[in-house]
Amino acid sequence: MTEPLLKVQGLKKYFPIRSGIFGQITGQVKAVDDVSFYVNEGETLGIVGESGCGKSTTGRMLMRLLEPTEGAIEFQGQNLAKLSPFEMRKARRDIQMVFQDPYASLNPRHSIGQILEEPLIVHGIGDAKERKKRVRALLEIVGLSDDHAKRYPHQFSGGQRQRIGIARALMTNPKLIIADEPVSALDVSIQAQVLNLMQDLQKELKLTYIFIAHDLGVVRHISDRVGVMYLGKIVELSESEELYANPLHPYTKGLLSAVPIPDPDFRRQQIIIEGDVPSPSSPPKGCTFHTRCPFKMDICTKSVPQLTEAQHGHSVACHLYNEQANDK
Amino acid sequence: MSEVVANTTENLTTHKEVGPWKEAWHNFKKSKAAVVGAGIVAFFIILAIFGSWIAPQGVNEQNLSERLMAPSAKHWFGTDDFGRDIFSRVVYGARVSLWVGFSSVIGSVIVGSILGIVAGYYGRWVDTIISRLFDILLAFPSILLAISIVAVLGPSLQNALIAIAIINVPNFGRLIRSKVLSIKQEEYIMSAKAIGMNDFRILFRHILPNSMTPVIVQGTLAIASAIIEAAGLGFLGLGAQAPTPEWGKMLSDARVYLVNAPWTMIFPGLAIMLTVLGFNLMGDGLRDALDPKMKN
């Protein structure tokens, strides 16, 4: 197997909780707690989880928009977590991000042409004429026309703005694109257009995606592999089809059984997850999911299950499947 | 998919490229008060620029045989105790007052913006130091602070201008700081970082232009109060020195003749009132046009 494009090892982000007049650190929010995964070139890794599970924090740490507390981010042979701010700015040429809210991610005072041209100016690519040409080319690639370059963001619809956001991410010809809930702010009909656009671009430009979302249907549509996050940890990671056909972790099972099926006569056994997500500032001991798990065992309250391969290419962090590992 | 794109493309071509500034201008024109205010301001700016052609007499031309004459065809606004033509002096005074108003506000906007933007963007101890500095300046009544600054620097128009600029710095600094605090949370700032932009470019290409609207509004209103403050300092003898035709100074010189020759006081006073009114009306109009959310 070839070396993966991006390899994340033991990534952690703890936010300090400050209180009192002197702002002493009195606790920590473990937003992301020991996350490891890899992404191969040309594939799409989906990351799903409910809000607050740390998926966006993970995405932002990969770009060092948030500084990781601990962990290594290996991208093309260099550890991004160790780069100086200056080196990191240069490295961002190869990793770009598409943001969630197309209404907030474009500067309202700049025209579309200026917005798209900016990454090239920042990285010193091409002269004015070449830059303009590239702006026109990319507008066309994402399905807009070149006279849109003179307009301002408020004159576009949400779907069009997200296309602009995608075009901007593509300006510097990156290898990896981190898409942080790129369609969750859009209407369902527009979601499909944008997803298809992203898939077409992936094929044409050989892009690698990390696709962060809370919508299981959307993730299934676009991902090759999917990681499920819960309270800052990856609880299950597998090929997309395998995960949807054969979920192992009780949390994943619960999530999948909550996806509505467009057939009123269809009846299935639902796994209802009860209770709320515990606070990440004081996560439960042992498996963080044991407070809500229908299959809770004694060991779950004591030891933290590690993410191990239960079946070929299908990893899960759950004591139900880790018995051999625990016996050792 | 391509059909949908084609459709939306057509819809968009119907309205032209409307930038945020053009739109604000369009809103501004709709308010009558704002246009009147802008008219008054424009009138005084013209007076200030072309004063030497408009004024019928030299500004310091004395004619002791025509002391304290009431308004007449020859002296529209009458004459003062040295027999100088008040109309000419009021016209020249526009230059002094507008110069003080504009330059002191521009000075405080520049200094306040830099301090505010640095405090807001970098936060932590930088913010603490700068914010406390603002608090200290704001703790004094502004005219008192201006008087003490002039007392240290020595009374002159230029020092009055510097004092007024200093006392206005914390107002603009705080305004920008709070605006920067909210803007730096916006996703387009995050996306600017993701592109690989450096702080300098983010601050001056993205954060600053987006925090300018309240500054323009506040700046227009501050010009009005700067003119009053300059007049106040002039009245106290701490601003412009004789024989500079400064409106506040003219008021101060005229107070002895208030009963016998009220025109010596009325016309400079009216000039101050009108300019301040003009800037205030214009400022209100700008506020409504640039940021409708700020209304009241």
Side-chain angles (χ1 to χ4, degrees), chain B residues 94 96 103 194 197 215 254 294:
Chain B
V96 178
S103 54
M197 235 175 267
V215 174
M294 270 172 64

Side-chain angles (χ1 to χ4, degrees), chain A residues 32-50:
Chain A
V32 175
D33 194 7
D34 200 1
V35 161
S36 304
F37 59 87
Y38 64 88
V39 192
N40 290 322
E41 198 156 357
E43 78 168 351
T44 302
L45 174 73
I47 296 179
V48 282
E50 54 199 299

Side-chain angles (χ1 to χ4, degrees), chain B residues 26-153:
Chain B
H26 187 76
N27 288 336
F28 183 79
K29 279 191 299 186
K30 275 193 279 189
S31 155
K32 281 203 186 75
V35 173
V36 170
I40 295 173
V41 169
F43 171 74
F44 277 100
I45 290 176
I46 290 170
L47 275 194
I49 297 172
F50 300 106
S52 40
W53 286 282
I54 296 169
Q57 282 191 20
V59 61
N60 291 324
E61 210 175 295
Q62 298 182 8
N63 186 349
L64 292 175
S65 64
E66 290 183 348
R67 290 180 69 217
L68 299 172
M69 282 180 53
S72 63
K74 192 180 174 203
H75 301 292
W76 293 355
F77 290 178
T79 59
D80 67 6
D81 55 331
F82 289 111
R84 293 175 295 196
D85 183 45
I86 293 179
F87 178 67
S88 305
R89 287 179 69 76
V90 167
V91 167
Y92 272 99
R95 186 177 296 180
V96 178
S97 286
L98 289 188
W99 160 248
V100 171
F102 276 103
S103 54
S104 69
V105 167
I106 287 171
S108 34
V109 164
I110 291 173
V111 177
S113 299
I114 293 172
L115 290 176
I117 207 171
V118 168
Y121 189 70
Y122 290 102
R124 293 170 189 255
W125 61 269
V126 183
D127 183 22
T128 312
I129 292 175
I130 293 175
S131 292
R132 290 301 86 79
L133 195 76
F134 289 164
D135 288 345
I136 292 169
L137 284 176
L138 285 170
F140 298 98
S142 58
I143 194 76
L144 194 66
L145 186 62
I147 290 171
S148 10
I149 296 171
V150 174
V152 172
L153 297 176

